[in-house]
Amino acid sequence: MRYPSRLLTDDRQRAFARRTTWHGGIVIIDQSGSMDIDDASLAALLRRAPDAFVIGYSHRPGDNGSTPNVWILADRGSVATNIPSGNIGNGVDGAVLAWALRRRRGGEPIVWVTDGQVTDSHDHPDDRLTIQCAELVRRHRMRLVRELGDAGRALSQGRTVGRADWPQFGRLGRKLLEMKAI
């Protein structure tokens, strides 16, 4: 019993606190050339979080939009039959994060599997885009992980990367450190 005083004051007598566990959330997976996922890692994630919304993304540098660059791998119980391979570059990091945020339900957790190398549509580093992504991570409390195998634990246990771990996330991590110092 967490709130014994509610037995007398609350007409619904909500005196007990409940722990809620997430069986879902949103997982955003960078599938650029430096990142790779396999069927076993995705299956392990979905066993741990069967109601997760999982998307992968990768952009072909210089592509004018004719090649798909975002795909849904799992949608709250439905799972894709195959995992598309990446298109070499990042290129759509900010747009994917914003798109995923619009699909967020309540305060469900968001995990971004990334190496932190945020790039523009030609796969070149872009400081403005890095700042935009770092602000989204900070504002929406996204949990960063480098490996898909760590995403399930980040969803269910609420583990977030500590400040000491940010440098492992490249330009994004360095920008998060700069933002924290300001």
Side-chain angles (χ1 to χ4, degrees):
M1 187 177 311
R2 175 86 189 257
Y3 307 103
S5 63
R6 289 185 181 175
L7 284 172
L8 300 173
T9 60
D10 186 359
D11 60 334
R12 294 172 68 195
Q13 297 184 340
R14 293 172 289 194
F16 298 95
R18 290 187 198 156
R19 276 193 190 267
T20 58
T21 57
W22 291 97
H23 296 287
I26 297 176
V27 179
I28 304 162
I29 305 170
D30 172 357
Q31 286 184 258
S32 63
S34 60
M35 306 289 288
D36 191 25
I37 66 170
D38 58 73
D39 292 332
S41 297
L42 182 60
L45 167 66
L46 293 174
R47 275 192 304 277
R48 190 164 198 152
D51 296 327
F53 181 64
V54 182
I55 57 175
Y57 73 94
S58 179
H59 183 75
R60 179 167 288 140
D63 187 67
N64 61 359
S66 60
T67 306
N69 55 18
V70 179
W71 34 89
I72 298 173
L73 301 173
D75 188 0
R76 306 189 193 280
S78 301
V79 181
T81 55
N82 62 0
I83 301 172
S85 60
N87 294 320
I88 301 171
N90 286 45
V92 292
D93 302 277
V96 167
L97 294 178
W99 183 80
L101 283 166
R102 288 192 300 271
R103 276 134 190 90
R104 188 180 199 184
R105 295 181 179 170
E108 72 182 337
I110 299 177
V111 174
W112 184 14
V113 181
T114 182
D115 57 3
Q117 305 307 325
V118 177
T119 62
D120 65 12
S121 62
H122 294 287
D123 211 30
H124 298 137
D126 184 326
D127 198 47
R128 184 181 49 80
L129 182 60
T130 304
I131 291 169
Q132 175 192 2
C133 290
E135 286 174 349
L136 287 172
V137 166
R138 194 175 68 161
R139 184 178 322 122
H140 298 284
R141 299 177 186 243
M142 292 182 192
R143 302 163 186 177
L144 302 177
V145 296
R146 288 192 54 88
E147 306 280 330
L148 182 58
D150 297 331
R153 189 170 41 259
L155 277 175
S156 64
Q157 295 179 359
R159 291 192 180 176
T160 58
V161 175
R163 189 177 183 169
D165 297 320
W166 284 347
Q168 72 176 330
F169 291 98
R171 286 185 292 278
L172 178 70
R174 287 191 298 276
K175 192 55 68 180
L176 285 166
L177 280 172
E178 286 175 22
M179 293 169 79
K180 193 73 170 178
I182 294 175

